[in-house]
Every structure is written in C-alpha cells, then in structure tokens.
Amino acid sequence: MKTDQHEEYMELAIRIAAENIDNGNGGPFGAVVVKNGKIIAASGNKVTSSNDPTAHAEVVAIREACQVLHNFDLTGCTIYASCEPCPMCLAAIMWARIDGIFYAADRNDAAFAGFDDEKFYDEFARPSGERLLPAQQILQEKAVEVFSKWIEKEDKIHY
C-alpha cells in the first residue's frame, strides 16, 4: 500500500476524532479498519454517549468491521488509530487478528490531554498478587471442568 493511502486513512481517523469532540459522542479518538484498500469500518470513541467504558474508537470500529465481514477474525485488516491504542484496545486488536496498526498521537500526547494509560501499563507489569485491584482465584477445579468440556467438543469454532 502506498504511503499516501496510509496517510489518507489516518487523516480520516483524526478527522473522526475531531468530530467526536463536536458531536459529544465521547473522547477525542477515532479509528478506521481497512482491508484490501477498502474502508470496512470507522468510528469515534463512544464511551460517554453509550455509557460503555469499553467503547473506545478502536473497539467500536473492530465490532463494526466484524459485523460487516461476518467474521470475528479480521486477518488481512489494518487499523488506523488517531492515538496509540491503550492496553485494552491493543488486546482487542490482537484478539481480532488484525495484521497491523498505524497510529498518530502517542500515549504521552494522550496523557498531556488527560488520558493517562500509564497506570494500566504499570499495573499489568506487576504480578497479579501485587496489583492495586484485588483479585482472588476461587473454584478453579470447577472452571477447569468447563475447559475439559470445551476440549472434548468436536464441532467447536477455534478463535
């Protein structure tokens, strides 16, 4: 793909981010999912308008792309994000099997604007027992039984 095409998709993601401020849908973030040179989905952040803390622009665009392509696997797609994806979005991008990420602003630019993801990066680097959010493992044996059932299922769809 030509550099000017990458820039065209990124300009759209940035434009969506700017429009998101004006329309009040959420924060100043935009994302575009492209496959084979065609825009599959594009969205702004919808956290505050949908009361959904997971409705970051990248996640919403991934959801829309999956609906358009009728598939949870976005192999062959590239995502353009107006800002470096946060840890949640990065994980969603990876789970969707997206081939590549282009981003414009970085995490430091976002932190300057009041969106500081550094605490999440730091938290994930700590061992689970040392994290600020308490987590306790219970009923492991019962949960493992469910995994055994999954392993035995012959017609499962792997993802």
Side-chain angles (χ1 to χ4, degrees):
M1 191 176 304
K2 297 177 184 174
T3 302
D4 56 334
Q5 284 182 297
H6 293 304
E7 291 178 2
E8 176 184 327
Y9 300 135
M10 186 59 73
E11 286 182 12
L12 175 58
I14 294 168
R15 187 168 58 249
I16 290 169
E19 290 170 356
N20 221 43
I21 296 169
D22 297 334
N23 64 28
N25 280 340
F29 303 96
V32 177
V33 177
V34 175
K35 184 170 188 175
N36 298 326
K38 180 181 175 193
I39 295 172
I40 304 300
S43 182
N45 176 291
K46 295 183 179 181
V47 169
T48 57
S49 62
S50 66
N51 293 316
D52 179 354
T54 68
H56 290 200
E58 297 93 332
V59 172
V60 176
I62 288 169
R63 291 173 182 161
E64 290 177 7
C66 289
Q67 293 302 307
V68 168
L69 296 175
H70 305 286
N71 200 334
F72 57 83
D73 185 334
L74 298 181
T75 297
C77 292
T78 301
I79 192 162
Y80 297 82
S82 64
C83 186
E84 179 180 3
C86 74
M88 177 185 69
C89 293
L90 182 57
I93 291 164
M94 294 171 72
W95 273 109
R97 310 295 194 264
I98 290 175
D99 291 353
I101 305 167
F102 287 84
Y103 64 90
D106 65 20
R107 66 178 80 172
N108 298 312
D109 300 317
F112 182 77
F115 299 93
D116 192 358
D117 296 337
E118 202 62 39
K119 62 185 170 193
F120 297 112
Y121 288 104
D122 292 345
E123 195 67 9
F124 294 144
R126 295 180 188 198
S128 61
E130 297 176 18
R131 293 185 183 147
L132 297 175
L133 180 64
Q136 297 179 9
Q137 184 177 20
I138 60 173
L139 301 178
Q140 179 183 12
E141 297 82 12
K142 288 188 177 189
V144 170
E145 289 174 14
V146 177
F147 283 128
S148 294
K149 184 176 179 178
W150 173 256
I151 291 167
E152 294 169 9
K153 183 174 173 56
E154 292 183 13
D155 63 342
K156 63 185 165 240
I157 299 172
H158 291 278
Y159 61 96

